[in-house]
Amino acid sequence: MARTRRSALDFRGGTGSISLAQLAAILTVTAQPLCSDFSGARFLQLYLYVHRVAGLEPGVYRYWPEHAELEQIRLGDQRVVAAGLSLGQDLAGNACVAFSMIADLDRAVRSYGDRGYRYVHFEAGAVGQRLYLAAEALGLGATGIGAFFDDQVHSYLNLAPEQGQVVYHFAIGYPVPDPRLGA
Ligand SMILES: Cc1cc2nc3c(=O)[nH]c(=O)nc-3n(C[C@H](O)[C@H](O)[C@H](O)COP(=O)(O)O)c2cc1C
């Protein structure tokens, strides 16, 4: 699985949903403990831009891993917004679900000083790789998105500066064929 997973160039927008069970499986892997030699603490919150998940209204949701709950933040079609916030990359709108990873940088820096900034990015990378593998295991595609408009993301998610800062975006859905692969 780790060998076959590739980043999707884009996703098939418009058709095909993932199930709620698939989304739950994806979210569950993000909440598993992370083993590292520097910190067991977690600093990330996941916000979801739900486009096409059967049984879940399109909108923005915050994931609460402690109770495996989704809190609805906004209702309505998020495809244009998700793509726009991701530096205008269509794949964030064509996915079934896109993510903003929001890091509690203040808490990380209180715990670890300047290293906290690096640690939240380690955590985002580890969560991202789990998302890649979970998507692959479910027969879906995924793409990490490192390009986004920070201030606009904070404003859209109604995040005050002390609530966290965006460090990574992600998208999962049905990938378009990649002509570079399969030779
Ligand atoms: C941290 C990170 C940020 C990325 N940002 C973007 C992005 O903004 N847009 C995009 O299309 N792909 C993005 N990618 C996907 C990379 O382009 C892709 O991982 C790279 O081409 C290697 O391909 P592979 O993942 O199939 O091995 C990102 C990947 C990572 C790990």
Side-chain angles (χ1 to χ4, degrees):
M1 215 167 45
R3 287 187 174 167
T4 53
R5 78 105 205 117
R6 299 306 305 262
S7 295
L9 290 178
D10 198 352
F11 298 94
R12 295 197 330 251
T15 55
S17 301
I18 62 169
S19 68
L20 209 45
Q22 286 177 310
L23 180 63
I26 288 165
L27 291 171
T28 298
V29 300
T30 70
Q32 299 306 305
L34 291 174
C35 299
S36 72
D37 58 2
F38 56 89
S39 165
R42 302 294 295 264
F43 299 106
L44 286 188
Q45 306 150 17
L46 286 187
Y47 283 77
L48 286 69
Y49 305 83
V50 169
H51 305 318
R52 294 192 316 280
V53 178
L56 196 56
E57 285 196 74
V60 176
Y61 296 80
R62 178 174 172 180
Y63 177 55
W64 292 91
E66 300 82 1
H67 306 292
E69 282 174 4
L70 289 173
E71 177 192 0
Q72 196 174 77
I73 307 288
R74 286 174 178 269
L75 261 186
D77 191 336
Q78 305 297 321
R79 289 175 296 179
V80 171
V81 170
L85 293 176
S86 302
L87 216 73
Q89 298 185 80
D90 289 345
L91 79 175
N94 288 332
C96 293
V97 57
F99 298 84
S100 285
M101 296 190 202
I102 306 296
D104 188 341
L105 269 180
D106 284 1
R107 186 160 56 84
V109 168
R110 274 200 306 278
S111 301
Y112 296 107
D114 289 346
R115 284 174 295 146
Y117 185 77
R118 191 184 317 154
Y119 291 170
V120 300
H121 286 83
F122 285 166
E123 183 181 338
V127 168
Q129 292 304 326
R130 288 179 175 189
L131 290 174
Y132 268 119
L133 292 181
E136 180 75 15
L138 293 167
L140 303 167
T143 303
I145 300 175
F148 39 79
F149 290 109
D150 304 47
D151 291 346
Q152 285 87 334
V153 172
H154 303 152
S155 154
Y156 193 67
L157 298 178
N158 284 321
L159 295 171
E162 66 276 9
Q163 283 180 278
Q165 292 183 38
V166 58
V167 291
Y168 199 13
H169 273 192
F170 214 88
I172 294 179
Y174 294 98
V176 298
D178 186 340
R180 302 169 306 177
L181 303 177

